[in-house]
Amino acid sequence: MRTSFKGLLCLSLALCASAAMAQAKLRAWNIHPDGYPVSEAMKSFVEQVSKSTGGRYNIELFNSGALGDQPKAVQMLKSGEIDVAEFSSGPLSDAVPGIKVLNLPFLFTDSAHMFRHLDGKLGERFSANLKSAGFVVLGWYDGGGRSFYCVKPVNNLRDLAGMNIRVQQSEVYIEMVKLMEAKPVALPFKDVLVALEQGKVDCAENNLPSYESTGHYKVAKNVYVTNHVISPEALVVSTKLWDKLSKEDKAAFAEAGAKSAILMRELWNKRVAAALEATTKQGSQFVKVKDVSPMVRRMGPLYGKYMADPTTREELLTIIAK
């Protein structure tokens, strides 16, 4: 049976077109459960990328840290095992030391203040530095304001003195608690509830949705609203993926990332309000700090350390100048 040249040419063109339309399968990671603001915003990102690229990118979203914890996910992103992820500022600051300033206490007055910087020149500088470290930032998410919650009532800074306070394994948080004349206890987040129940710690600190979703409010009903740390998180793609994208696809990913960041911030504010309502109904008592200046003065040695470090001085000066 003879096949005409014209037939072969048509077949070849059809195969090429089919290959061009083949989906690129990607994997996205985040540590939060289904329904959480981060997870919903990433879901929106996935859908927007698929729509904008005509379905050429099929991104499978893995929530709840299904592929591993955050340190492992960072390495997986850099190696190309995952392509998209949402990270807190902690692991990002390990890659780019200048970002450590974002974890300093009382640096931002609120999330709006933080995003004025991150959606502007400072965010551009952080993004450029992160790109050189293997992370391409598509959007800045809200990590929320952190406050203290304790088993016993806390009405002022003096009440925290001598208390055992659970903190992350972070030099900034450990030093912050020490400067408040309390005792930092570094524990994995999953162990906090039991530690509160057993009296191993008197207090912990975190954002309001975490306080509510973990059930910590059932034991530590006294919340001292300090918003001592307001920090961002970031939606990133690996530079390995980014470098493979066409100019048009890069634009599609960037647009989807920016839209997802706006959505996440809106969802976050709603989640905070819902957590406040739910915990108040369950008996949590909220005492808002009236004047943060005594706490800020206590942080002098911590600020001085970062001001003396050339890798963080410029970023710190940029933030406190506005």
Side-chain angles (χ1 to χ4, degrees):
M1 177 178 174
R2 294 181 61 187
T3 303
S4 69
F5 174 76
K6 182 178 179 180
L8 287 172
L9 180 60
C10 289
L11 178 61
S12 177
L13 290 172
L15 290 172
C16 288
S18 176
M21 290 299 293
Q23 282 188 331
K25 293 185 178 181
L26 307 177
R27 301 205 297 175
W29 174 97
N30 99 92
I31 202 168
H32 302 288
D34 294 347
Y36 201 78
V38 169
S39 303
E40 290 301 301
M42 290 188 72
K43 179 181 177 182
S44 173
F45 167 78
V46 168
E47 293 172 349
Q48 180 65 34
V49 167
S50 178
K51 180 180 178 181
S52 298
T53 61
R56 286 185 290 104
Y57 290 93
N58 176 21
I59 306 175
E60 185 175 5
L61 178 58
F62 293 87
N63 296 325
S64 302
L67 301 178
D69 60 14
Q70 194 158 222
K72 181 180 179 181
V74 169
Q75 296 306 314
M76 292 175 72
L77 186 87
K78 299 188 79 170
S79 68
E81 293 178 72
I82 59 176
D83 308 281
V84 185
E86 197 272 353
F87 294 132
S88 65
S89 56
L92 297 179
S93 65
D94 289 337
V96 178
I99 292 181
K100 287 182 179 180
V101 299
L102 295 176
N103 294 318
L104 285 174
F106 307 106
L107 188 62
F108 299 111
T109 55
D110 52 30
S111 292
H113 178 207
M114 176 179 69
F115 286 126
R116 281 201 297 273
H117 286 285
L118 291 180
D119 291 337
K121 297 290 185 181
L122 186 64
E124 291 175 3
R125 190 155 74 233
F126 281 145
S127 295
N129 292 337
L130 282 165
K131 186 176 181 180
S132 66
F135 309 88
V136 177
V137 177
L138 298 182
W140 294 103
Y141 285 15
D142 197 343
R146 302 174 74 96
S147 293
F148 296 99
Y149 46 88
C150 306
V151 176
K152 298 178 181 179
V154 175
N155 296 300
N156 52 55
L157 177 59
R158 294 187 301 275
D159 289 341
L160 290 174
M163 285 193 175
N164 294 318
I165 301 178
R166 181 269 171 181
V167 294
Q168 304 176 60
Q169 184 61 52
S170 161
E171 63 175 1
V172 171
Y173 284 86
I174 290 172
E175 185 64 18
M176 175 188 69
V177 168
K178 286 181 178 178
L179 291 171
M180 291 179 177
E181 298 183 354
K183 301 174 183 176
V185 180
L187 284 175
F189 186 57
K190 62 182 178 63
D191 297 335
V192 176
L193 181 58
V194 172
L196 286 166
E197 290 173 335
Q198 296 180 350
K200 293 180 180 179
V201 296
D202 303 302
C203 308
E205 57 81 48
N206 214 310
N207 58 56
L208 197 52
S210 293
Y211 170 66
E212 185 266 335
S213 64
T214 55
H216 292 178
Y217 69 90
K218 296 177 182 178
V219 184
K221 290 187 174 296
N222 302 283
V223 184
Y224 190 39
V225 184
T226 55
N227 286 320
H228 50 268
V229 173
I230 296 171
S231 61
E233 300 185 356
L235 177 68
V236 299
V237 300
S238 69
T239 51
K240 288 190 175 184
L241 168 62
W242 189 254
D243 291 341
K244 295 177 183 177
L245 298 178
S246 67
K247 181 179 178 180
E248 293 74 19
D249 287 345
K250 286 179 179 177
F253 272 69
E255 181 183 11
K259 287 183 177 180
S260 78
I262 293 172
L263 175 62
M264 187 275 164
R265 298 174 197 181
E266 293 173 352
L267 294 174
W268 180 257
N269 290 335
K270 292 178 181 179
R271 182 63 181 264
V272 169
L276 176 60
E277 181 180 2
T279 53
T280 299
K281 286 182 178 179
Q282 293 297 320
S284 291
Q285 301 293 317
F286 293 84
V287 175
K288 188 172 183 179
V289 63
K290 295 178 181 178
D291 181 11
V292 298
S293 58
M295 289 185 171
V296 173
R297 286 195 291 271
R298 293 276 188 96
M299 299 301 115
L302 189 55
Y303 299 146
K305 178 180 178 180
Y306 281 81
M307 192 66 79
D309 186 344
T311 62
T312 54
R313 183 189 304 118
E314 185 176 357
E315 282 79 3
L316 187 54
L317 285 172
T318 298
I319 295 168
I320 63 178
K322 295 182 181 181

